[in-house]
């Protein structure tokens, strides 16, 4: 067992999670609005989806990746529509009054987790990104060793979680500096960005 695969996986998880996209904007907005816990749980949903795709790539489950890639038009269509809906909803939403303990109930935490998990899964081409990065770092050579592949996927998850923990914790430091008027602008800007990502996803369907 080569423990270096754990660190390679963590590097992969960080490199996949760090670029700020629609999920990053969503987690930042949720952290500012609902608190660090909600932001972190949203990030955990993304990390779980990253680990899911890492699992498919790391275990060489080509039949699953081929199935997802063959259906990516419908998957992206659903994801794009939901991002557009989420963007419009965020754009038009009014910030709620916050309290010191406003970190969301169990239902809000579950919704935060599931929504980001499913949205991240709507980009099946992420499998190709994982496969390319695995090969570039020499992480693809698990030689059919399921234990090594498992360590690799755990590393991907931990690396992604580390990024979302850093992001939500950092953003939460500025949370108390945002009043209701500022949060209105955060909602508007976040909504426009998320809406833009949704429209780009729908436009990309014409290339498939």
């Amino acid at each position: 067992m080569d423990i270096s695969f754990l660190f390679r996986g963590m590097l992969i998880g960080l490199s996949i999670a760090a670029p700020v996209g629609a999920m990053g904007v969503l987690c930042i907005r949720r952290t500012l609005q609902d608190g660090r816990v909600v932001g972190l749980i949203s990030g955990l949903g993304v990390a779980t989806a990253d680990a899911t795709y890492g699992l498919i790539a790391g275990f060489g489950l080509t039949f699953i990746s081929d199935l997802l890639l063959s259906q990516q038009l419908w998957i992206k269509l659903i994801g794009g529509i939901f991002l557009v809906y989420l963007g419009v909803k965020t754009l038009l939403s009014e910030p709620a009054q916050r309290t010191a303990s406003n970190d969301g109930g169990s239902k809000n935490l579950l919704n935060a987790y599931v929504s980001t998990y499913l949205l991240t899964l709507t980009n099946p081409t992420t499998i190709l990104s994982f496969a390319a990065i695995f090969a570039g770092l020499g992480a693809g050579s698990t030689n059919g060793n399921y234990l090594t592949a498992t360590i690799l996927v755990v590393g991907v998850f931990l690396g992604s979680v580390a990024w979302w923990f850093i992001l939500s914790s950092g953003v939460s430091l500025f949370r108390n500096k945002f009043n209701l008027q500022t949060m209105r602008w955060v909602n508007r800007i976040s909504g426009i960005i998320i809406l833009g990502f949704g429209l780009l996803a729908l436009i990309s369907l014409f290339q498939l």
Side-chain angles (χ1 to χ4, degrees):
M1 182 179 67
D2 189 353
I3 197 64
S4 69
F5 279 92
L6 178 66
F7 298 104
R8 296 183 195 184
M10 291 178 68
L11 183 59
I12 293 171
L14 278 170
S15 64
I16 292 291
V20 177
M23 295 301 95
V25 173
L26 183 60
C27 289
I28 290 172
R29 186 256 174 184
R30 285 179 175 176
T31 301
L32 291 173
Q33 175 64 55
D34 301 315
R36 181 173 62 87
V37 173
V38 175
L40 177 59
I41 293 299
S42 298
L44 287 179
V46 181
T48 306
D50 288 343
T52 301
Y53 279 139
L55 186 73
I56 295 172
F59 278 77
L61 302 177
T62 54
F63 67 97
I64 296 180
S65 60
D66 289 344
L67 175 63
L68 290 172
L69 291 173
S70 67
Q71 300 298 320
Q72 64 177 309
L73 189 149
W74 295 106
I75 296 174
K76 279 193 170 185
L77 177 62
I78 295 171
I81 291 174
F82 190 71
L83 276 178
V84 169
Y85 161 77
L86 192 61
V88 172
K89 181 181 178 182
T90 302
L91 178 64
L92 300 178
S93 66
E94 284 293 321
Q97 290 284 353
R98 297 176 307 191
T99 64
S101 61
N102 184 18
D103 273 330
S106 58
K107 183 177 179 181
N108 287 337
L109 294 179
L110 180 62
N111 289 338
Y113 176 85
V114 172
S115 61
T116 52
Y117 176 74
L118 294 178
L119 278 171
T120 306
L121 283 184
T122 58
N123 187 14
T125 52
T126 304
I127 297 176
L128 301 179
S129 300
F130 272 107
I133 295 175
F134 278 9
L137 292 176
S141 55
T142 57
N143 298 321
N145 188 319
Y146 289 156
L147 178 58
T148 300
T150 300
I151 293 173
L152 185 65
V153 173
V154 169
V156 169
F157 179 74
L158 292 177
S160 185
V161 168
W163 167 253
W164 296 113
F165 177 79
I166 293 170
L167 182 67
S168 60
S169 297
V171 172
S172 68
L173 295 176
F174 302 95
R175 187 179 176 225
N176 291 332
K177 300 183 184 298
F178 285 70
N179 55 32
L180 286 177
Q181 183 60 35
T182 308
M183 279 306 304
R184 286 192 183 95
W185 282 105
V186 169
N187 286 348
R188 291 168 185 170
I189 295 172
S190 300
I192 291 173
I193 294 174
I194 295 172
L195 174 61
F197 277 111
L199 292 175
L200 286 175
L202 294 177
I203 292 173
S204 71
L205 295 177
F206 292 101
Q207 300 174 354
L208 298 178

